[in-house]
Amino acid sequence: MRDVTIPGSSWGNRLLQVYDPTTNVFAAGGGIGQGLGMAIGTGIAKPDTPTLAIIGDGGLQVHLGELCTLADERPHVIVALFNDGGYGVLRNLQDAKDSPRRAVDLATPDHALLARSLGLDHELVTETGGFDRALAAAVQRRSPTIIEIDVASLLPRPEPMVPPVNVP
Ligand SMILES: Cc1ncc(C[n+]2csc(CCOP(=O)(O)OP(=O)(O)O)c2C)c(N)n1
Ligand SMILES: [Mg+2]
């Protein structure tokens, strides 16, 4: 499940290999945040298959209450939470226009504390290789997990504007 976040719309929409259309969930209307609810529904519908949800920190805050549903229902949903401290795509657009940043750097909850308060597993990823390990562990555990990716610590740094990708 891909919410409307930069990793979702840059490589997620372009490079992720999809072999079965029923495994490809996307909020076509483009509203941020509804992805978590859609991922929970997917996880309940397909209990034997882990559901990976790619969600940004801004989108998550819009539908934060869905974390309680995740804790209640406990489907096998793994949330890859890309935390860049705000509305990254809008921040990039404002910077590209040399306009002052306005309402894009957001107060961000401590997701580790938030997850703990709901009995959800949480792992923080601060380097590229860490994601594979965290994902493999979450798939094994079969319990809902938030893998929080600290975008600012990733190297190489994501480009502000990702050019079109040619796939052979
Ligand atoms: C409900 C809703 N409100 C506002 C927007 C406009 N919008 C599009 S992307 C975006 C930022 C999303 O931030 P985040 O989920 O953190 O992803 P990032 O861009 O930082 O990767 C916003 C506010 C939207 N698409 N849907
Ligand atoms: Mg963000």
Side-chain angles (χ1 to χ4, degrees):
M1 194 294 138
R2 299 185 306 287
D3 207 76
V4 184
T5 176
I6 294 171
S9 41
S10 53
W11 56 265
N13 287 358
R14 305 179 200 198
L15 297 177
L16 198 64
Q17 295 185 13
V18 176
Y19 299 99
D20 170 355
T22 67
T23 65
N24 178 31
V25 182
F26 179 68
I32 59 172
Q34 56 194 289
L36 181 54
M38 295 170 85
I40 292 169
T42 306
I44 291 171
K46 291 202 169 201
D48 299 328
T49 310
T51 297
L52 178 68
I54 298 172
I55 300 180
D57 57 318
L60 182 68
Q61 286 184 64
V62 176
H63 285 238
L64 203 56
E66 294 295 344
L67 283 182
C68 300
T69 313
L70 187 63
D72 277 337
E73 299 291 335
R74 302 195 68 76
H76 191 187
V77 169
I78 302 161
V79 177
L81 171 61
F82 286 84
N83 187 353
D84 61 1
Y87 290 151
V89 67
L90 304 186
R91 183 193 289 141
N92 289 342
L93 290 170
Q94 291 181 0
D95 288 354
K97 293 278 179 202
D98 285 330
S99 55
R101 286 189 184 176
R102 175 92 185 93
V104 291
D105 297 320
L106 305 177
T108 309
D110 181 325
H111 295 107
L113 278 179
L114 189 58
R116 186 142 60 88
S117 72
L118 289 167
L120 296 168
D121 291 315
H122 172 276
E123 274 204 60
L124 181 65
V125 169
T126 55
E127 40 93 24
T128 314
F131 182 76
D132 284 359
R133 282 192 298 278
L135 181 62
V139 168
Q140 288 293 322
R141 258 197 318 273
R142 304 192 58 79
S143 54
T145 300
I146 298 171
I147 301 174
E148 179 177 5
I149 299 105
D150 178 19
V151 175
S153 68
L154 296 184
L155 291 172
R157 293 208 186 292
E159 295 287 330
M161 300 294 165
V162 181
V165 176
N166 288 320
V167 180

